[in-house]
Amino acid sequence: MESTPAAWSKADAYLADLLVGHDPQLEAALDAQREAGLPEIEVAPVGGKLLNLLVRISGARRVLEIGTLGGYSTIWMARAVGPDGRVVTVEAEADNASVARASIDAAGVGDRVDIRVGRGADVLPTLDGGFDLVFIDADKESNTLYLDWAAKLGHPGTVIVLDNIGREGEIVRGDSTDSKVVGTREGLRMLGEDPRFDATALQTVGVKGWDGVALAIVV
Ligand code: DHB
Ligand code: MG
């Protein structure tokens, strides 16, 4: 079998079929997102399940998400924090937030999810800290700002997950003028250099093409 984007996608669908399975609430959230015309850039099913497992493995009870979109990843994490847990999710676009609110409520986890509408730069300084896991999946240009707030709002041991660190291999192009690539590279550099973090990153291939995710701990 050739190693092509089509093959990666097919293998990813196979893995999702085996390990994630049919999930009417999550599928309804994706349908609602598509019907509302939101971009279809949510995490892959296997990536959502990874977030769910990371929350459970780390025992996180307070989760911060930056970039709600249609609430797909939010639902995955809200399920994982349990009935006494809480997910605070920050979304810049009010239209996205209302789609997410409806889907999160329909998934039965609305009471654990607090959606804060506004730019991260404005909302994050207003939050109480103590987050055990932070998922950063918003405008890549602000990655360093979000990582700084993740450290401030976390504690030693807080898990940080940073999405989209691969960007179709563009990250190795130091001369790239794409602001998303520049922001991704700056976030990765911060994870490597800033003594508040200890991190690694994994490239991924699948239904979202060639991308990846960084994992860090607040030391
Ligand atoms: C983009 C953003 C994402 O969070 C993602 O997972 C994929 C693409 C984007 O802005 O291009
Ligand atoms: Mg993403």
Side-chain angles (χ1 to χ4, degrees):
M1 163 94 65
E2 245 184 304
S3 178
T4 60
W8 306 339
S9 197
K10 198 171 171 188
D12 203 5
Y14 168 75
L15 295 172
D17 186 40
L18 286 177
L19 304 172
V20 180
H22 175 51
D23 190 314
Q25 293 168 341
L26 287 168
E27 286 157 23
L30 294 182
D31 289 343
Q33 180 176 296
R34 192 178 318 107
E35 278 158 27
L38 272 50
E40 293 176 49
I41 55 172
E42 74 286 344
V43 295
V46 293
K49 182 78 180 272
L50 175 66
L51 290 169
N52 178 283
L53 289 169
L54 286 171
V55 170
R56 289 155 61 199
I57 290 165
S58 64
R61 285 285 169 269
R62 280 180 56 80
V63 168
L64 171 63
E65 177 179 61
I66 306 173
T68 316
L69 190 63
Y72 180 78
S73 48
T74 323
I75 294 168
W76 269 117
M77 294 191 289
R79 287 176 177 174
V81 294
D84 299 325
R86 192 128 200 102
V87 179
V88 177
T89 183
V90 181
E91 174 54 48
E93 304 288 339
D95 291 347
N96 294 1
S98 63
V99 172
R101 180 81 266 165
S103 293
I104 291 163
D105 290 348
V109 288
D111 55 336
R112 325 176 177 169
V113 178
D114 182 3
I115 306 181
R116 302 291 180 93
V117 181
R119 306 274 320 158
D122 300 321
V123 173
L124 292 167
T126 71
L127 300 180
D128 294 327
F131 291 102
D132 308 310
L133 184 143
V134 182
F135 177 47
I136 302 171
D137 190 19
D139 57 306
K140 312 311 165 194
E141 293 80 356
S142 303
N143 272 348
T144 56
L145 178 92
Y146 298 150
L147 286 167
D148 182 54
W149 277 107
K152 287 180 183 154
L153 295 170
H155 51 76
T158 291
V159 177
I160 298 175
V161 184
L162 177 67
D163 198 28
N164 309 116
I165 56 82
R167 302 215 74 93
E168 304 294 346
E170 280 282 280
I171 52 161
V172 296
R173 283 192 41 212
D175 60 351
S176 179
T177 54
D178 180 334
S179 64
K180 292 182 183 182
V181 173
V182 172
T184 301
R185 287 171 56 95
E186 285 175 355
L188 288 166
R189 182 145 63 128
M190 185 170 179
L191 285 175
E193 290 181 353
D194 189 318
R196 292 177 295 175
F197 307 111
D198 199 12
T200 191
L202 296 171
Q203 297 181 71
T204 56
V205 293
V207 293
K208 296 191 69 178
W210 176 12
D211 203 350
V213 67
L215 295 177
I217 192 165
V218 176
V219 297

